Amino acid sequence: VDAAQVWPPPVGAYAEEQGLFHILQNMLEELLIHKPDDPIEFMINHLKQNNDDAPRICVLGPPASGKTTVAMWLCKHFDAIRISQETLLFKETLALTEEAKAYKEKNQQIPNALWANLIQERLSNVDCIKQGWILEGFPENQEQAWMLQSFGIFPRHVVVLYASDTVLIERNSGKRLDPLTQEVYHTTFDWPTDPLVQERLVVPGDLSEQEVSKKLLEYHRSFPEVFQIYQKVLKSINADQPSVDVLSQVLSYVQTRPRSAAPFTPRIVFCGPPGSGKSLQAALIAQKYHVVNICCGQLLKEAVADNTKLGELIKPYIDNGWPVPDNLVLELLAKRLSALDCLTDGWVLSGFPRDIEQAEQLQKAQINPNRYEGHSAITTVHM
C-alpha cells in the first residue's frame, strides 16, 4: 500500500515545512510597525522583496572589544551592508550627514535623534533592504534603541562582545586610525596589508587611558538599559580569546533563527540501539509536553488485539516472531499519525524507523518529523 497516496499531508505540516507561518508572522510584524494605508499592497511589496532571511544584526560592546573586526567579517560572509559611525559620517552622502559632521568637527556630542535619523535613512536604501545590514556600535543607549524601534528597526540578532576593563584598556593602546578613510586598525589584531595604508596610520587623539576609562564608564552606565530592550535576541560573547574563536561563536549565533511565535506541532522521532532508553524518554517527553506517545511495537500489538484488518495481516508475523513487513507498519503508522489527537497535539515516535530504508519510506509516506533524537544515553529535547 502506498501510504502517500492514501493519506495526504496535513495542512499544518505543509505550512510549517514551507515556512508559511514564518512569512505570515513577518508580514504581521511589518504591518503593525509601519501601519500602511493600503495593507494589501504593502504585503504584496513585502513578498516581492523576498528578504525575510536577510541579516539584521547589531554588534555592540565596549571600546576595543573588536566590534569593527566582527562587523566587517560578518559583512563579507553575508554580503551585507555595514553601518557604523565611521560609514555614516565619512562614506555616505545622506541628507543629515553634514549636520552630523558639524557636531563632530566642534567636538560636540551628536544628538541621539540625529543618529537615529541617519541610521533610518541609510537602512531604507535598497541595498540594505535586499542584502541585509550589520549595525556596528548602535544603539549606544536606551533612547537610541527606542528611536530605532519607532522607525520599525529591530535587529534579529544582537551580538555583545565583552572583556574586562583592564584587557580593553591594554588592547586600546594598539588602535591606529586611517585619517583618509577614518577606518580603525590594530597593531596586533587587524593590521592592514596595504603598505600605503600602513604609512598613513596615526594614533587616535582619544587614546589616553583616562579617555578610554571615561568611555568605558559611559558604556557600563548605558548598556544595562539596552540589554533589557534586546535581551530576547541578544548573545554575549567573550572578546578576550583568539579572534577565530570569537568569529566562530558569532557566526554560530547569527545563523540561528529566532524562536518563532508561529504555531508549532511537535513531531518527534527517537532513534537508537536496543536498551538505549528510547521508549522511556519518549514517554517522558509525551508526558511533559502533552503530545501523543506512539511506540511502534505497542501499536502493532494493539492492532492485533483489536482484530482489525491490518491486525489480521500482522498477527502471523507477531505470533511467529518474524519482522512485520515495512509496508504494513507504514500503513498502520500513517493511519495513527493522521488521527485528530496527533494532528492537534503532535506526537513522539519510537521503534521506527530502524534503518535508512525505513526512514526513506517514512518520508515517501509524507510522515515528516521536525525533531530527531539519537540515543546512546539520556538526551534532552528542546521544544
Side-chain angles (χ1 to χ4, degrees):
V1 177
D2 188 350
Q5 294 178 0
V6 178
W7 304 100
V11 174
Y14 173 81
E16 185 182 309
E17 290 164 12
Q18 301 302 319
L20 299 186
F21 293 134
H22 181 66
I23 292 172
L24 288 172
Q25 181 183 350
N26 284 341
M27 282 201 298
L28 181 59
E29 288 175 353
E30 295 295 317
L31 284 170
L32 293 173
I33 289 170
H34 297 285
K35 299 181 179 64
D37 294 331
D38 188 343
I40 302 300
E41 184 65 25
F42 179 87
M43 287 190 288
I44 291 172
N45 291 331
H46 175 81
L47 291 172
K48 286 180 179 179
Q49 288 175 359
N50 190 30
N51 68 337
D52 282 343
D53 293 324
R56 298 206 297 258
I57 303 168
C58 284
V59 180
L60 306 179
S65 57
K67 298 187 295 294
T68 300
T69 301
V70 168
M72 293 181 72
W73 185 83
L74 286 174
C75 286
K76 290 178 182 177
H77 185 86
F78 290 111
D79 191 28
I81 308 301
R82 172 174 161 257
I83 312 296
S84 67
Q85 288 193 17
E86 163 248 320
T87 62
L88 290 172
L89 294 178
F90 300 101
K91 292 188 176 181
E92 305 290 351
T93 54
L94 304 171
L96 298 170
T97 299
E98 293 304 318
E99 183 181 345
K101 279 185 176 180
Y103 280 96
K104 193 77 171 177
E105 290 167 1
K106 296 175 184 177
N107 291 321
Q108 296 177 349
Q109 187 174 1
I110 298 174
N112 290 327
L114 184 52
W115 276 129
N117 278 285
L118 278 168
I119 294 168
Q120 192 270 339
E121 183 182 353
R122 183 63 186 91
L123 296 187
S124 64
N125 288 355
V126 67
D127 57 348
C128 287
I129 293 172
K130 287 290 186 183
Q131 296 171 239
W133 44 264
I134 314 295
L135 194 54
E136 175 199 325
F138 290 109
E140 297 176 301
N141 50 55
Q142 186 183 65
E143 187 180 12
Q144 284 184 10
W146 282 344
M147 287 179 173
L148 293 179
Q149 286 192 52
S150 70
F151 290 138
I153 299 169
F154 196 90
R156 289 196 181 100
H157 300 88
V158 176
V159 173
V160 178
L161 304 174
Y162 71 89
S164 68
D165 286 1
T166 305
V167 169
L168 295 170
I169 290 171
E170 183 181 349
R171 288 175 62 166
N172 196 71
S173 64
K175 273 189 176 182
R176 296 297 181 267
L177 178 69
D178 184 345
L180 186 63
T181 64
Q182 297 298 310
E183 289 194 31
V184 177
Y185 295 92
H186 197 279
T187 55
T188 303
F189 305 107
D190 186 26
W191 192 244
T193 55
D194 188 342
L196 294 176
V197 176
Q198 294 176 11
E199 290 176 6
R200 65 175 184 251
L201 292 183
V202 297
V203 178
D206 58 353
L207 202 60
S208 70
E209 186 171 326
Q210 184 179 2
E211 189 66 28
V212 176
S213 298
K214 181 182 176 182
K215 288 186 175 181
L216 284 170
L217 183 60
E218 292 174 358
Y219 174 82
H220 292 314
R221 284 174 176 169
S222 301
F223 181 70
E225 295 174 335
V226 177
F227 179 92
Q228 289 298 320
I229 294 173
Y230 293 124
Q231 58 181 319
K232 290 186 177 180
V233 294
L234 184 147
K235 173 78 171 178
S236 296
I237 294 175
N238 184 6
D240 188 18
Q241 56 181 325
S243 58
V244 173
D245 294 331
V246 174
L247 296 174
S248 174
Q249 291 172 38
V250 169
L251 183 61
S252 176
Y253 172 61
V254 300
Q255 286 182 326
T256 62
R257 177 168 284 185
R259 186 174 180 85
S260 173
F264 173 75
T265 304
R267 301 188 300 278
I268 308 163
V269 166
F270 274 83
C271 300
S276 59
K278 300 185 298 296
S279 298
L280 173 60
Q281 292 304 311
L284 293 173
I285 290 295
Q287 182 181 19
K288 180 175 181 179
Y289 295 108
H290 307 289
V291 297
V292 182
N293 185 15
I294 306 294
C295 175
C296 190
Q298 186 64 30
L299 193 64
L300 293 170
K301 292 176 182 177
E302 289 174 0
V304 172
D306 292 341
N307 292 319
T308 63
K309 289 184 179 180
L310 268 176
E312 292 175 2
L313 295 173
I314 293 169
K315 188 175 186 303
Y317 296 96
I318 298 291
D319 291 343
N320 291 284
W322 299 333
V324 179
D326 290 348
N327 64 319
L328 295 178
V329 177
L330 278 169
E331 184 176 356
L332 189 63
L333 278 175
K335 285 185 176 180
R336 181 65 187 92
L337 297 179
S338 297
L340 184 60
D341 58 348
C342 288
L343 294 178
T344 304
D345 301 327
W347 46 263
V348 53
L349 171 64
S350 59
F352 194 93
R354 297 178 182 272
D355 54 46
I356 190 169
E357 289 79 11
Q358 290 181 348
E360 289 172 349
Q361 292 174 32
L362 207 63
Q363 281 189 324
K364 289 178 182 177
Q366 305 279 345
I367 300 172
N368 298 312
N370 49 27
R371 290 290 185 276
Y372 300 88
E373 291 299 326
H375 280 255
S376 55
I378 294 177
T379 305
T380 302
V381 179
H382 298 282
M383 302 294 285

